[in-house]
């Protein structure tokens, strides 16, 4: 196998929210084409890591570096991280009543195009693609003119996150518990969406509590997160082991 | 009394004749002007301690009103009518006079003081009788012409009646409109106060609806500079009739709207959807008094304030459900978005209920833009400024989207974006 190119490299990272240090000396490297799963107990800092990557203002980096596509990610504002190809699927997607889904998505795509010095997307191309991908995500057309996540059920919000991901075509997707609260059919739809994005030039970090999603998307690496850092890494079999034994055998060591 | 001093310093009663040269030949109207003026001398100008006038610098507005009224002079008019739709009837109010292009339909009359005396007199009298407020009294002091809109039974009018108030610099303007809808009739009115500088506008409208009639009424007040905008809307609604009122007020030094609604007929209804968007050091004051006087009546008030810079907004809403008004529905909501740490809002929704068989709700919220929403939008590649604009627009969209009339929705949306400095 030829030498793999690094997409994301986190080194000795400390991150805090308020006065509380949550990410503690984290190291993680992700190559192009890889899918990494992150599992770990509640409150271990998984969402904080996702926020640190996306640049949430509450999350302060106190030590270490993050490089994305060899760019110092920490120097980029939130929107440029997205325009560079980083996507965060929120654990709790935000409702924005009154801002229509399609207006929002079109603005997002055009922002990215502008950043990459490309022309605006044509209205017809946009609608065509949006309809096709909404179909794939089992999202009814009528949702597209509704406010972003406005009055959506939990599962609908998660499918909408994946729809946004498909439309924005990120290089790295960080999906924070996108599988939580999904019924069996939605789980299949969401995994299909995630899988359709995977390729040699894209990578993803999938944060999850359940082995179920991983069965569909077959991660290359599974990490166990505890107390703000990775305490164990393995392959897919580690996820199955965790499903059976829980975390205690690791966290008590 | 302070107000007496203010008024007396500015003018003496003998000066009244000089308000308008047209007035001089019409002794009876002068009588009304004079009477109203004397009434003003008697009433105390409300202070800031008065709950209904708190945060409204009314004495300054009254002061300016008389200063400007004294200086009123006839100037050639300038049109600045940027929007027009083919299905409009357009009427302008300028320099104390209504004028229009082409022939007016039979249901609209401009009442000149030199004509139709008894008719005009009865109209003023109706208005004054039912509306004993400061704004109305001020309006009558300068009153010259009146616009009367009167439908016949079963008359449904699709055209939009556009009434454009053109204030010019250093003027006081007192338009007066009387609207009477007969049974089974419907009309649409769009009242537009174009942006002006150094002026005082005092507009009064008296609206009566008989049974089964509908009025769609749009009010657009553009941003006023060094100006005051006072208005009184008095609305009486008969059986099974309804009024849908949309307002956009971008603020003035003092912008004050008094809306008084009497739901007199069974199953009568009022819907008011309003946006107020003052910026800089401007003010927007909204006072509503809704009386549910009959069975099955409905009121729905949805006011949204977007306040920038060091502006101030006021919402004072009082909905009263009287004893015999069973099966009443009353919903009142005031939500405010403060875009700056210096912007202020005072909100007071009051429900007074004297009947058990009612469905009522009221709510008032005020807050800043939500940081989590801004982050969510930015995380999709959109810059901070655009993210904020989206949020402000989405907040206002809840009102704008309730306008079913497509041209009006577009007009209101354009003016909204203009007042928010978006685009
Ligand atoms: N805004 C905040 N203020 C204070 N503490 C916070 C804040 N956000 C997160 N924390 C704390 O940081 C720790 C890590 O939270 P985080 O959301 O990253 O956990 P998680 O691993 O994603 O958990 P879960 O599996 O429940 O989603 C928790 O103890 C949490 O209480
Ligand atoms: Mg989490």
């Amino acid at each position: 196998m030829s030498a793999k190119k690094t997409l994301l490299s986190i080194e000795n990272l400390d991150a805090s929210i308020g006065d509380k240090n949550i990410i503690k000396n984290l190291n993680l490297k992700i190559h192009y084409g890889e899918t990494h799963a992150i599992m770990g107990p509640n409150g271990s800092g998984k969402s904080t890591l996702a926020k640190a990557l996306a640049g949430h203002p509450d999350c302060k980096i106190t030590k270490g570096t993050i490089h994305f596509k060899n760019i110092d990610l920490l120097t980029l504002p939130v929107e440029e991280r997205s325009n560079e190809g980083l996507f965060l699927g929120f654990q709790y997607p935000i409702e924005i009543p009154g801002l229509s889904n399609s207006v929002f998505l079109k603005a997002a795509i055009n922002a990215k195009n502008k950043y990459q010095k490309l022309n605006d997307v044509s209205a017809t191309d946009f609608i065509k693609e949006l309809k096709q991908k909404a179909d794939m995500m089992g999202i009814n057309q009528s949702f597209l003119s509704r406010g972003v996540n406005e009055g959506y059920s939990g599962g609908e919000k998660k499918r909408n996150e994946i729809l946004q991901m498909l439309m924005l075509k990120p290089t790295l997707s960080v999906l924070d518990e996108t599988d939580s609260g999904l019924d069996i059919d939605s789980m299949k739809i969401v995994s299909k969406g995630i899988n359709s994005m995977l390729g040699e030039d894209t990578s993803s970090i999938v944060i999850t509590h359940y082995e179920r999603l991983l069965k569909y998307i077959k991660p290359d690496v599974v990490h166990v997160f505890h107390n703000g850092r990775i305490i164990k890494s393995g392959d897919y079999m580690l996820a199955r082991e965790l499903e059976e034994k829980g975390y205690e055998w690791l966290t008590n060591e | 009394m302070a107000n007496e001093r203010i008024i007396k310093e500015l003018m003496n009663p003998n000066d009244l004749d000089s308000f308008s040269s047209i007035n001089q030949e019409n002794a009876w109207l002068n009588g009304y002007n004079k009477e109203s003026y004397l009434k003003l001398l008697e009433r105390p100008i409300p202070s800031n301690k008065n709950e209904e006038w708190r945060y409204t610098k009314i004495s300054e507005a009254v002061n300016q009103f008389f200063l400007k009224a004294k200086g009123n002079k006839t100037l050639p008019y300038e049109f600045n009518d940027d929007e027009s739709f083919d299905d409009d009837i357009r009427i302008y109010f300028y320099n104390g006079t209504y004028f229009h292009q082409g022939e007016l339909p039979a249901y609209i009359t401009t009442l000149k003081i030199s004509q139709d005396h008894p008719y005009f007199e009865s109209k003023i009298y109706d208005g004054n009788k039912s509306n004993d407020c400061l704004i109305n009294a001020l309006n009558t002091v300068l009153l010259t012409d009146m616009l009367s809109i009167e439908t016949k039974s079963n008359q449904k009018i699709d055209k939009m009646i556009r009434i454009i108030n053109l204030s010019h610099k250093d003027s006081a303007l007192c338009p007066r409109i009387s609207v009477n809808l007969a049974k089974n009739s419907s009309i649409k009115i769009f009242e537009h106060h174009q942006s002006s500088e150094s002026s005082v506008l005092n507009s009064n409208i008296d609206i009566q609806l008989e049974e089964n009639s509908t009025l769609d009424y749009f009010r657009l007040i553009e941003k006023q500079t060094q100006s005051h905008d006072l208005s009184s809307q008095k609305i009486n609604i008969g059986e099974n009739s309804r009024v849908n009122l949309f307002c956009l007020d971008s603020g003035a030094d003092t912008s004050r709207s008094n809306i008084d609604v009497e739901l007199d007929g069974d199953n009568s209804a009022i819907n008011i959807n309003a946006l107020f968007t003052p910026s800089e050091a401007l003010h927007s004051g909204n006072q509503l008094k809704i009386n549910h006087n009959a069975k099955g009546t409905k009121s729905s008030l949805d006011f949204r304030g977007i306040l920038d810079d060091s502006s101030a907004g006021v919402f004072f809403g009082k909905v009263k459900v009287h004893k015999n008004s069973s099966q009443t529905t009353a919903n009142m909501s005031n939500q405010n978005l403060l875009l700056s740490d210096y912007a202020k809002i005072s909100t007071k929704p009051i429900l007074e209920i004297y009947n058990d068989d009612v469905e009522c709700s009221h709510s008032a919220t005020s807050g800043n833009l939500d940081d989590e929403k801004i982050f969510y939008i930015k995380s999709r590649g959109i810059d901070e400024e655009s993210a904020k604009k989206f949020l402000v627009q989405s907040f206002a969209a809840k009102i704008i989207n309730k306008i079913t009339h497509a041209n009006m929705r577009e007009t209101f949306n354009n003016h909204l974006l203009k007042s928010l400095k978006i685009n």
Side-chain angles (χ1 to χ4, degrees):
Chain A
M1 214 197 233
S2 61
K4 288 187 284 183
K5 257 176 73 191
T6 303
L7 173 61
L8 180 79
S9 167
I10 301 174
E11 285 173 15
N12 307 321
L13 191 77
D14 277 14
S16 53
I17 292 182
D19 298 334
K20 198 174 160 196
N21 195 16
I22 293 164
I23 304 288
K24 294 164 188 160
N25 204 37
L26 175 72
N27 287 284
L28 175 65
K29 188 171 276 192
I30 294 179
H31 299 102
Y32 280 91
E34 286 178 352
T35 300
H36 289 225
I38 295 181
M39 304 181 82
N42 294 133
S44 58
K46 304 179 299 296
S47 292
T48 305
L49 169 62
K51 284 179 183 172
L53 289 169
H56 193 286
D58 289 351
C59 187
K60 298 276 179 296
I61 310 298
T62 50
K63 189 174 96 23
T65 57
I66 305 177
H67 284 91
F68 175 64
K69 294 179 170 174
N70 286 326
I71 306 165
D72 180 356
L73 192 70
L74 299 178
T75 61
L76 296 186
V78 177
E79 65 273 21
E80 288 183 21
R81 296 181 192 202
S82 166
N83 292 328
E84 280 291 348
L86 181 86
F87 178 88
L88 171 60
F90 282 56
Q91 182 174 359
Y92 306 106
I94 308 287
E95 292 197 24
I96 308 174
L99 172 58
S100 96
N101 254 312
S102 52
V103 168
F104 175 52
L105 264 174
K106 199 170 166 195
I109 289 170
N110 283 336
K112 184 171 184 170
N113 284 356
K114 193 176 166 193
Y115 185 79
Q116 298 177 340
K117 304 202 162 56
L118 298 172
N119 289 334
D120 278 4
V121 61
S122 92
T124 46
D125 289 353
F126 169 75
I127 290 293
K128 211 172 123 196
E129 188 182 352
L130 181 59
K131 282 189 173 161
Q132 183 232 323
K133 293 193 164 150
D135 273 352
M136 182 177 162
M137 282 298 102
I139 293 175
N140 194 292
Q141 304 292 329
S142 68
F143 278 60
L144 303 176
S145 52
R146 263 166 69 178
V148 176
N149 295 322
E150 183 180 0
Y152 287 26
S153 75
E156 286 164 350
K157 283 179 185 168
K158 296 300 179 71
R159 276 186 274 144
N160 195 36
E161 292 289 286
I162 299 300
L163 172 63
Q164 291 179 22
M165 178 189 79
L166 294 177
M167 292 298 289
L168 289 168
K169 305 180 189 69
T171 319
L172 176 66
S173 310
V174 182
L175 303 175
D176 192 357
E177 293 199 28
T178 306
D179 56 338
S180 295
L182 293 184
D183 64 30
I184 300 155
D185 291 339
S186 291
M187 180 77 84
K188 282 184 187 156
I189 290 170
V190 160
S191 351
K192 204 171 98 189
I194 299 171
N195 280 330
S196 78
M197 277 294 299
L198 298 178
E200 281 179 17
D201 305 324
T202 56
S203 308
S204 53
I205 298 175
V206 178
I207 298 170
T208 181
H209 286 295
Y210 309 104
E211 183 252 354
R212 214 165 36 151
L213 175 75
L214 303 181
K215 206 161 58 191
Y216 292 109
I217 61 172
K218 307 251 158 47
D220 300 292
V221 191
V222 174
H223 304 284
V224 179
F225 219 77
H226 178 58
N227 215 351
R229 57 198 173 85
I230 292 165
I231 54 163
K232 192 173 178 66
S233 300
D235 59 11
Y236 171 58
M237 292 312 290
L238 176 58
R240 298 191 61 170
E241 205 175 347
L242 291 169
E243 184 86 6
E244 274 169 38
K245 303 206 270 183
Y247 295 111
E248 250 177 58
W249 61 286
L250 289 170
T251 56
N252 283 345
E253 261 173 26
Chain B
M1 259 179 286
N3 66 304
E4 197 166 335
R5 213 194 62 241
I6 291 169
I7 296 174
K8 277 208 171 126
E9 271 173 13
L10 288 164
M11 55 183 292
N12 65 62
N14 301 329
D15 269 358
L16 275 172
D17 289 339
S18 69
F19 277 165
S20 165
S21 54
I22 329 169
N23 272 3
Q24 285 166 4
E25 297 131 42
N26 298 275
W28 66 268
L29 188 71
N30 263 335
Y32 267 107
N33 292 147
K34 198 168 272 175
E35 191 182 301
S36 199
Y37 167 68
L38 293 172
K39 245 166 65 181
L40 271 173
L41 289 185
E42 281 163 25
R43 72 166 66 221
I45 290 182
S47 78
N48 279 354
K49 291 196 192 78
N50 181 323
E51 186 178 57
E52 289 184 18
W53 293 92
R54 196 175 296 166
Y55 307 108
T56 302
K57 292 174 276 180
I58 191 64
S59 60
E60 192 186 317
V62 171
N63 199 335
Q64 284 300 319
F65 176 85
F66 281 104
L67 264 176
K68 304 277 194 270
K70 258 184 104 177
N72 261 1
K73 47 186 174 287
T74 310
L75 292 169
Y77 58 83
E78 289 159 35
F79 279 99
N80 176 24
D81 201 6
D82 45 351
E83 291 145 295
S84 68
F85 301 105
D86 288 343
D87 58 348
D88 286 348
I89 295 163
R90 266 176 289 163
I91 301 163
Y92 301 87
F93 188 71
Y94 183 80
N95 247 336
T97 317
Y98 284 102
F99 62 96
H100 52 89
Q101 288 165 324
E103 193 104 333
L104 278 183
Y107 53 87
I108 306 179
T109 336
T110 56
L111 300 175
K112 304 272 173 201
I113 43 163
S114 51
Q115 306 151 6
D116 307 304
H117 285 199
Y119 187 55
F120 193 18
E121 190 165 6
S122 77
K123 285 288 171 206
I124 301 175
Y125 188 64
D126 279 351
N128 281 349
K129 195 171 58 181
S130 56
N131 196 343
D132 186 29
C133 81
L134 174 68
I135 294 173
N136 176 262
L138 277 172
N139 181 280
T140 309
V141 172
L142 277 197
L143 186 62
T144 51
D145 284 18
M146 180 157 77
L147 190 72
S148 165
I149 302 169
E150 243 173 88
T151 59
K152 292 202 180 72
S153 299
N154 303 315
Q155 192 173 19
K156 307 244 190 297
I157 296 153
D158 279 332
K159 288 189 178 207
M160 177 71 67
I161 304 168
R162 260 159 57 99
I163 302 162
I164 301 133
N165 295 317
L166 302 163
S167 303
H168 62 73
K169 208 168 182 294
D170 297 320
S171 71
L173 204 62
C174 289
R176 172 85 64 116
I177 304 168
S178 152
V179 179
N180 290 279
L181 267 72
K183 275 184 260 191
N184 302 314
S185 67
S186 66
I187 54 165
K188 303 183 193 75
I189 297 177
F190 174 28
E191 187 189 343
H192 184 177
H193 185 196
Q194 293 198 333
S195 94
S196 68
E197 205 189 312
S198 189
S199 70
V200 182
L201 182 89
N202 176 322
S203 67
N204 272 231
I205 188 162
D206 288 295
I207 297 169
Q208 314 258 354
L209 285 84
E210 288 178 15
E211 304 101 87
N212 297 311
S213 54
T214 306
L215 167 67
D216 290 321
Y217 178 23
F218 303 89
R219 293 193 78 229
L220 175 60
I221 298 157
E222 289 189 60
K223 188 176 139 188
Q224 310 294 324
T225 312
Q226 289 169 353
S227 296
H228 304 271
D229 191 300
L230 310 173
S231 71
S232 156
Q233 289 90 235
K234 177 88 189 160
I235 305 172
N236 290 63
I237 309 179
E239 204 176 319
N240 292 319
S241 287
R242 108 182 0 250
V243 172
N244 301 309
L245 171 55
F246 286 93
C247 307
L248 170 61
D249 174 14
S250 299
D253 276 21
T254 313
S255 174
R256 170 64 183 239
S257 145
N258 282 7
I259 303 178
D260 293 275
V261 180
E262 302 292 336
L263 292 161
D264 284 337
D266 287 353
N267 306 312
S268 56
I270 177 98
N271 289 309
I272 309 180
N273 289 287
L275 287 166
F276 50 102
T277 61
S279 55
E280 296 160 22
L282 300 181
H283 162 268
S284 173
N286 304 278
Q287 180 186 280
L288 296 126
K289 289 182 181 169
I290 315 288
N291 282 310
H292 287 262
N293 304 322
K295 289 195 186 89
T297 49
K298 288 194 172 75
S299 68
S300 161
L301 315 180
D302 193 351
F303 277 68
R304 292 196 171 204
I306 301 170
L307 300 106
D308 207 349
D309 306 322
S310 59
S311 65
V314 180
F315 174 86
F316 180 96
K318 193 182 210 171
V319 175
K320 203 166 177 177
V321 180
H322 291 267
K323 215 167 156 190
N324 299 321
S325 315
S326 52
Q327 293 170 346
T328 284
T329 315
N331 298 304
M332 171 166 37
S333 154
N334 171 228
Q335 294 185 41
N336 304 295
L337 193 53
L338 298 161
L339 299 179
S340 135
D341 291 342
Y342 303 101
K344 286 190 291 287
I345 177 77
S346 155
T347 173
K348 195 154 195 179
I350 304 167
L351 281 174
E352 264 182 48
I353 300 168
Y354 301 99
N355 187 300
D356 290 336
D357 185 14
V358 294
E359 229 186 274
C360 290
S361 73
H362 67 103
S363 64
T365 58
S366 299
N368 306 107
L369 286 175
D370 182 339
D371 289 337
E372 292 302 323
K373 286 182 182 163
I374 293 175
F375 175 66
Y376 187 73
I377 297 175
K378 282 166 73 178
S379 80
R380 299 305 183 240
I382 296 167
D383 65 73
E384 173 136 351
E385 199 189 336
S386 307
K388 286 181 175 171
K389 282 176 185 172
F390 271 138
L391 290 177
V392 173
Q393 261 180 285
S394 68
F395 178 78
K398 286 281 158 189
I399 299 289
I400 298 283
N401 290 342
K402 284 198 238 177
I403 304 177
T404 50
H405 191 283
N407 285 346
M408 279 297 112
R409 194 170 54 242
E410 192 189 323
T411 300
F412 273 66
N413 199 44
N414 289 342
H415 281 279
L416 172 76
L417 299 186
K418 204 165 103 185
S419 84
L420 297 172
K421 298 173 230 163
I422 294 176
N423 278 357

